[in-house]
Amino acid sequence: MDNPLTLKQRLLILASFVLAMMLAIIPLPDSVRLLRPDWVSLVLVYWCMAVPERIGVGSGWIVGLFLDALYGSLLGEQALAKALLAFLALHFTLRLRMFPRSQQALAVGTLIAISDLMVIMIKSLVHGTPPLWRDTAPMIANVIVWPVLFTILREVRRRAKIS
C-alpha cells in the first residue's frame, strides 16, 4: 500500500507549480518572450511521470484553470490543454521513463506541442485569426529546457523522498 504524501511533500509539489506559474507570467521583451518555455507544462509532465498515482488529469485541469485566470484567457482553454497533456503524459509514462534524456526531451516536447496546438486551434476558432509561426516557437525551448528541469526536479524529489 502506498504511503500518503506528507504535508511538506505536498507543499513542495505545489511550490513547484507556483514557481512555474510565476516564471510563465514574468514580463519579457517580445524577442525573448518567443523563446520562453512552457514551464507549467514541463513541471506537470515531470510530476505525472514521477508520481503518476498522485498527479494526473484532475491536477492538470486545476493547474490549467489557474493559468486561464492568470492569462485572462477563455475559461477552460488552458484547463482542457493541461488535462490532455496530463492524460498523454500518464499514458506514455512507462515509455518516457525508458528513453535516454535526449530522446525523452523530444517526446516530452511533442506531448507539449500537441497541447499547445490545441490552445492555438481554440484561439483561432474563437478569435477568427489564423495561427502565427511565433505561436510555435516555445516548443523548441521546451525540448532544450527539459533535461535541466528534469534533473533539478528529480533531485528535489529525491531529497524530499517523494515516491
Side-chain angles (χ1 to χ4, degrees):
M1 189 165 157
D2 289 331
N3 294 331
L5 292 176
T6 65
L7 179 61
K8 180 182 174 184
Q9 292 169 331
R10 289 176 192 216
L11 288 175
L12 185 68
I13 293 172
L14 180 63
S16 68
F17 280 110
V18 169
L19 180 61
M21 287 184 196
M22 289 170 58
L23 289 171
I25 62 170
I26 291 175
L28 295 173
D30 287 340
S31 59
V32 179
R33 189 172 40 121
L34 293 177
L35 300 175
R36 179 195 327 237
D38 187 348
W39 295 107
V40 177
S41 293
L42 291 166
V43 170
L44 178 63
V45 169
Y46 175 80
W47 287 116
C48 283
M49 287 175 54
V51 284
E53 63 282 348
R54 291 181 171 76
I55 303 294
V57 176
S59 301
W61 181 264
I62 291 167
V63 166
L65 284 176
F66 278 105
L67 282 177
D68 285 329
L70 281 174
Y71 294 157
S73 60
L74 181 66
L75 190 62
E77 177 182 284
Q78 291 289 328
L80 182 61
K82 298 307 179 223
L84 172 67
L85 178 61
F87 172 78
L88 293 172
L90 291 170
H91 183 74
F92 293 110
T93 290
L94 295 176
R95 291 181 190 145
L96 289 170
R97 287 181 180 171
M98 299 302 292
F99 291 157
R101 202 73 62 234
S102 59
Q103 200 172 8
Q104 191 180 72
L106 290 171
V108 168
T110 303
L111 296 180
I112 295 173
I114 292 168
S115 163
D116 288 349
L117 288 174
M118 174 183 277
V119 171
I120 290 169
M121 288 185 346
I122 291 171
K123 284 181 180 178
S124 67
L125 287 173
V126 169
H127 300 296
T129 57
L132 304 171
W133 69 270
R134 65 179 166 82
D135 295 331
T136 60
M139 295 177 194
I140 298 166
N142 293 331
V143 173
I144 294 168
V145 169
W146 173 256
V148 176
L149 184 68
F150 179 89
T151 304
I152 292 168
L153 287 175
R154 182 180 57 189
E155 186 60 30
V156 167
R157 182 177 59 89
R158 284 183 179 167
R159 287 183 189 223
K161 298 180 177 138
I162 298 173
S163 58

